[in-house]
Amino acid sequence: MSRKHRVTAGMSAACGLLLAASGVAHAEVEPGGWSSESPGFKVQERGCGEVDNLTFELTCSTASGDQRAERRYDTYTGGTHQFEGYFRVTSMGGTRISLKQTFNDTDGDAGPYFMLAVERGGRLYAVHGGDTLSNAGTVGATVRVNTVHQVGKEHRTYINGSLKHTVDSPGGSFYDKFGAYRTSSGNGPATVVWSNVKFWRK
């Protein structure tokens, strides 16, 4: 399936509440019918990547090789999945660092399907296609990210509650990753702190 990239600005998102008693969640974006979940994860540290709980750091300026500090969450197949997290870039000596990935885990098609990255100066962009999503990723600013993935249909990305990017989705298996990861054209050093990470599905 070919990918169709669209940048959508100015669409407001509805806020919701996690209803702990019933186990049903109304997520921060696209509320209605969500159930909270807690997928497992593995920590990935490669090259000069270091992870300390939800602080992810690339300590070197190396512009080659595998430099990553990430959490890789469990694989999902089918359905609609929502990720929410807040990140704050606390230092950025480098540029073009991936923050959040939706990774295609399907045999024959495995690879990063969607990557949200930040350039020095705060530009947030989609690595595949290069679309600018926001300029909110400046050092010290806290930014909320939501991705809504309808497997086999569409993947939508929200920045601070506004829909900013939509891309067609193939079927198959996928997983979420976040942290700090050197893109093919990027380099550290960089430090990113994530917080309030949540997952839902329906």
Side-chain angles (χ1 to χ4, degrees), residues 1-75:
M1 177 186 295
S2 63
R3 291 184 176 183
K4 180 172 62 177
H5 295 267
R6 303 191 299 275
V7 179
T8 308
M11 179 177 178
S12 296
C15 292
L17 297 173
L18 175 63
L19 303 180
S22 64
V24 176
H26 296 288
E28 288 290 336
V29 297
E30 302 186 15
W34 295 100
S35 296
S36 61
E37 59 179 358
S38 300
F41 66 87
K42 295 180 180 179
V43 172
Q44 297 183 332
E45 295 176 313
R46 296 184 186 174
C48 66
E50 297 182 2
V51 178
D52 180 8
N53 194 16
L54 288 173
T55 298
F56 303 84
E57 185 175 10
L58 301 181
T59 62
C60 65
S61 59
T62 304
S64 62
D66 195 2
Q67 315 299 332
R68 70 173 66 193
E70 295 180 304
R71 280 188 179 187
R72 185 265 202 225
Y73 281 79
D74 292 343
T75 298

Side-chain angles (χ1 to χ4, degrees), residues 64-191:
S64 62
D66 195 2
Q67 315 299 332
R68 70 173 66 193
E70 295 180 304
R71 280 188 179 187
R72 185 265 202 225
Y73 281 79
D74 292 343
T75 298
Y76 58 83
T77 303
T80 301
H81 300 261
Q82 181 166 177
F83 163 91
E84 178 180 275
Y86 293 75
F87 74 84
R88 180 168 53 92
V89 177
T90 60
S91 67
M92 176 65 78
T95 191
R96 301 181 73 83
I97 302 299
S98 176
L99 303 167
K100 163 64 172 69
Q101 299 182 45
T102 304
F103 199 96
N104 192 336
D105 198 30
T106 307
D107 290 343
D109 292 319
Y113 162 68
F114 170 79
M115 297 176 70
L116 173 69
V118 61
E119 289 181 335
R120 185 186 304 160
R123 174 181 174 254
L124 300 172
Y125 67 99
V127 172
H128 302 96
D131 293 332
T132 297
L133 278 64
S134 174
N135 291 305
T138 54
V139 172
T142 298
V143 180
R144 175 161 55 100
V145 177
N146 293 74
T147 58
V148 178
H149 187 195
Q150 293 176 273
V151 178
K153 183 177 180 181
E154 202 168 68
H155 183 283
R156 297 180 290 278
T157 303
Y158 294 75
I159 302 296
N160 290 332
S162 294
L163 179 62
K164 296 295 185 180
H165 184 266
T166 304
V167 60
D168 294 341
S169 173
S173 300
F174 298 83
Y175 58 81
D176 291 301
K177 298 176 76 173
F178 65 84
Y181 168 74
R182 185 192 74 83
T183 67
S184 61
S185 58
N187 63 278
T191 303

